[in-house]
Amino acid sequence: MLCTTTTQLIGQTPVMSIAVPNRDATLVLKIEKNNPGGSMKDRMARSMVCAALEDGRLAAGGTIVESSSGNTGIGLALAAL
């Protein structure tokens, strides 16, 4: 998949399968650190922005205000691009 925006990369993280020794089980890992912001919070932030745009709470080109200086803030900044 050729992406043209950062938000298209969010959620396109790899899945890794690991056999569990001495058990009839497999552990499946979703590698969320591969999101553009390095966190699973990128998904949540994109979902919040998309939902706000769809229901009219956020106009295209509008302002997002968030008090986070952590992963949520980074995810919102990426989703706002």
Side-chain angles (χ1 to χ4, degrees):
M1 172 176 162
L2 180 61
C3 297
T4 57
T5 66
T6 304
T7 54
Q8 291 172 334
L9 296 170
I10 296 173
Q12 304 303 320
T13 56
V15 177
M16 182 177 175
S17 176
I18 300 173
V20 179
N22 304 319
R23 304 237 183 217
D24 185 23
T26 301
L27 179 63
V28 179
L29 307 171
K30 185 82 167 144
I31 314 297
E32 291 295 318
K33 71 174 194 69
N34 285 15
N35 276 312
S39 168
M40 63 189 240
K41 300 245 178 127
D42 293 357
R43 286 178 186 265
M44 175 270 304
R46 183 188 60 190
S47 293
M48 287 173 50
V49 170
C50 288
L53 287 167
E54 286 173 14
D55 69 15
R57 288 178 290 156
L58 177 65
T63 301
I64 299 170
V65 178
E66 170 61 41
S67 64
S68 171
S69 61
N71 290 336
T72 300
I74 292 168
L76 285 168
L78 287 169
L81 291 177

